[in-house]
Amino acid sequence: MKDKISKLKNLVKKYGLQGTVKKAADYIYSNYLVRLSIRERIVIHLHRKKFAAGIRRILERDTYDRIVIWRSSFGWNVPLFQRPQHIFSNFAKQRTLVFYEVTRFTDDVKRMKKQSDNLYLVNYANTAFSKLLFREIEKKQVPKYVQFYSTDWTMPAKKIRNYMAQGYEVVYEYIDDLNPHLAGTDQLPANVKEKYEMAMSDPNIFVVVTAEALRKDVLAKRGDHRLVYSSNGVDYRHFHDEIDEHFQPDGQFQAVLDTGMPVIGYYGALAKWFDYELLKKIDAAGKYQVVLLGIKYDDSFDQAGLGQCRNIHFCGSRDYQVLQNYASRIDVLTIPFLINDITKATSPVKLFEYMALNKPIVTTDMDECRKYKSVLIGHSHEEFLEQLDRAMELKEDPDYRELLNREALENTWEEKAKAILDELRKYE
């Protein structure tokens, strides 16, 4: 309860009272009302045989070698596709049957919906349907896994132990430094902490890490048994081959292009780990227009006072389906993060997308960015500005563009998913 009160307080700071009330109402509807729906229970009871037969038809196919239950409340239809959608889309293509958790908050899925071959979106809050689903899955003699994010704060460790008691192997995706700022709470939620402690103490749990700092933490606590490194990656075709040269950006974005000045860009969350002072220095230099595409994750952007900067433009988020068309019109793409525990353990999805776009990349001195030859690192604000100038010089350099392309192809989501599945196969 303390976690939820803390989350509520931070939501009020971020969205105001009216916005928070609306979000709370949507959350309650998507997570609780369907669970308590007497009507839905009656429907499932009356049509039990029909629903069970539909599930069996899926399970009786010979297109998969294992079943993965994804249990983290990360919707499918969100503005920016992230790691879960990419990993499980590629699991499905690599002979894995996936039942992916969604909520009515993000997806219109009352019970279950086919997203693609071997990939089904499931509303687990519909307990009447999910019990039926698990009853049918239990009959299948194939390896079964429950997989979830380290940052998931909704599911208790007790629930994971119940899965284990039913014969499921556990895959713990350790994706970020466990920091309350990421959860939007004042303290680390108990469910996050307990699942982390369980994963670090049980060598039979598979642990997937996305960054070297996280790998070192696991090695220190439980060694390298059932440990796999799988950083974030890129849908290469989407960011390299699906750029529409005739795409017309919206007026706000186009107005920045029309200034004729070089454009520096970033897309993603604007949060406390963003280096706003660095952006102010870029603005003061007067050489570049800065475009920020994304969401205000907290109130840090407004508190930083960037609204007073004439060359900085917050343009809001863009749908994933057209994001590549905006990013491809930017001269230099950046990740201007502060260096702290959060960013040291971050594998930025956008880094590999920038590579696939074949755009010069400038970042601050983040551990996971330092690994790639194509990334220009600014160790200080002054050096960051110098690297922007260098990036502009490299923009049309064929050797540099080839380097970007090669490193993008080495970091596709297909390869990231394969790394995880290769580890699972060792024990199947």
Side-chain angles (χ1 to χ4, degrees):
M1 181 57 73
K2 261 167 69 176
D3 295 337
K4 291 182 179 178
I5 292 172
S6 174
K7 181 84 169 176
L8 189 62
K9 280 165 48 185
N10 283 289
L11 283 172
V12 171
K13 285 182 190 175
K14 185 175 178 181
Y15 298 109
L17 184 58
Q18 186 175 352
T20 300
V21 169
K22 183 181 183 308
K23 284 193 171 290
D26 289 342
Y27 179 81
I28 291 168
Y29 169 75
S30 65
N31 286 279
Y32 294 104
L33 293 188
V34 68
R35 183 176 293 153
L36 300 173
S37 171
I38 295 174
R39 180 182 179 279
E40 185 63 16
R41 293 184 186 192
I42 292 172
V43 169
I44 298 296
H45 178 74
L46 292 176
H47 302 281
R48 179 178 298 274
K49 289 184 179 178
K50 172 188 168 186
F51 288 128
I55 295 168
R56 281 197 295 273
R57 282 195 294 272
I58 295 169
L59 295 172
E60 285 167 1
R61 293 169 186 158
D62 62 356
T63 58
Y64 65 95
D65 300 323
R66 67 194 60 77
I67 294 172
V68 171
I69 307 294
W70 169 249
R71 291 304 313 267
S72 285
S73 298
F74 195 101
W76 187 269
N77 291 305
V78 292
L80 288 178
F81 263 37
Q82 293 290 316
R83 181 181 178 88
Q85 292 100 319
H86 290 297
I87 286 291
F88 294 110
S89 291
N90 280 279
F91 268 25
K93 294 172 185 174
Q94 298 180 46
R95 296 191 60 80
T96 302
L97 180 57
V98 178
F99 294 101
Y100 182 105
E101 179 172 18
V102 296
T103 72
R104 296 299 295 277
F105 186 71
T106 55
D107 302 272
D108 187 20
V109 179
K110 186 180 286 186
R111 302 176 191 104
M112 184 167 71
K113 174 185 175 184
K114 181 177 179 178
Q115 178 63 29
S116 62
D117 290 345
N118 280 348
L119 176 58
Y120 293 83
L121 308 183
V122 180
N123 186 353
Y124 289 109
N126 185 333
T127 52
F129 180 80
S130 62
K131 284 179 182 177
L132 189 60
L133 174 64
F134 283 116
R135 196 170 294 136
E136 294 300 324
I137 290 174
E138 190 177 344
K139 299 173 186 177
K140 291 299 295 182
Q141 299 302 309
V142 295
K144 303 179 186 77
Y145 303 86
V146 58
Q147 188 163 340
F148 57 92
Y149 261 178
S150 57
T151 53
D152 173 73
W153 70 298
T154 57
M155 189 166 55
K158 180 180 178 182
K159 180 68 176 175
I160 301 301
R161 293 191 183 95
N162 288 342
Y163 277 110
M164 294 169 76
Q166 294 165 25
Y168 286 81
E169 297 278 4
V170 174
V171 182
Y172 178 82
E173 283 227 42
Y174 192 6
I175 61 161
D176 279 311
D177 176 65
L178 297 183
N179 190 298
H181 288 313
L182 290 170
T185 56
D186 295 329
Q187 295 182 335
L188 192 65
N191 286 341
V192 173
K193 184 178 179 182
E194 287 174 8
K195 292 200 292 285
Y196 168 77
E197 290 172 348
M198 180 176 69
M200 293 306 108
S201 62
D202 188 342
N204 290 316
I205 291 177
F206 290 93
V207 178
V208 177
V209 294
T210 57
E212 185 62 25
L214 305 177
R215 191 180 79 89
K216 288 178 179 177
D217 181 46
V218 177
L219 288 173
K221 290 183 170 66
R222 47 165 278 173
D224 64 356
H225 182 63
R226 296 196 174 195
L227 171 64
V228 56
Y229 174 84
S230 173
S231 73
N232 285 322
V234 61
D235 179 345
Y236 179 83
R237 187 189 331 184
H238 183 69
F239 284 92
H240 190 268
D241 300 330
E242 296 179 0
I243 296 170
D244 182 358
E245 299 295 339
H246 304 292
F247 178 80
Q248 183 59 51
D250 59 68
Q252 184 184 15
F253 188 90
Q254 185 62 47
V256 177
L257 300 181
D258 289 344
T259 65
M261 293 175 65
V263 179
I264 305 303
Y266 165 88
Y267 61 77
L270 295 166
K272 292 176 181 176
W273 50 85
F274 203 89
D275 193 341
Y276 297 108
E277 293 304 312
L278 173 55
L279 258 63
K280 289 178 182 178
K281 289 184 179 179
I282 297 173
D283 173 71
K287 297 168 67 173
Y288 302 106
Q289 295 287 323
V290 179
V291 170
L292 304 173
L293 300 171
I295 60 169
K296 296 178 182 179
Y297 187 80
D298 50 36
D299 63 356
S300 60
F301 178 87
D302 295 324
Q303 293 291 328
L306 292 186
Q308 311 302 316
C309 298
R310 60 179 298 180
N311 298 318
I312 296 177
H313 311 273
F314 173 68
C315 298
S317 63
R318 295 296 181 276
D319 190 273
Y320 180 79
Q321 297 306 321
V322 296
L323 179 62
Q324 77 280 19
N325 293 319
Y326 283 92
S328 67
R329 285 158 172 76
I330 295 171
D331 294 299
V332 178
L333 291 162
T334 66
I335 307 179
F337 287 174
L338 297 168
I339 304 303
N340 55 33
D341 288 341
I342 292 176
T343 57
K344 284 179 180 178
T346 295
S347 172
V349 175
K350 62 185 68 64
L351 178 69
F352 308 105
E353 294 170 352
Y354 291 176
M355 290 174 183
L357 287 159
N358 293 174
K359 292 290 181 176
I361 304 168
V362 180
T363 78
T364 49
D365 190 22
M366 299 167 61
D367 290 1
E368 292 300 307
C369 295
R370 226 186 284 138
K371 295 179 176 181
Y372 304 100
K373 292 180 180 178
S374 63
V375 180
L376 307 179
I377 301 291
H379 297 84
S380 64
H381 287 180
E382 291 69 28
E383 188 178 5
F384 193 98
L385 267 67
E386 291 170 3
Q387 295 287 35
L388 292 178
D389 295 340
R390 184 175 173 223
M392 287 298 297
E393 294 173 1
L394 289 171
K395 193 171 67 155
E396 303 300 334
D397 184 291
D399 292 335
Y400 178 65
R401 290 173 66 89
E402 173 56 31
L403 174 61
L404 286 162
N405 206 53
R406 184 169 67 251
E407 292 192 325
L409 288 168
E410 290 169 354
N411 288 280
T412 63
W413 284 116
E414 180 182 6
E415 291 301 314
K416 305 306 178 180
K418 182 177 182 296
I420 300 171
L421 293 176
D422 283 350
E423 185 68 16
L424 302 187
R425 288 189 190 100
K426 292 178 185 178
Y427 301 90
E428 291 179 353

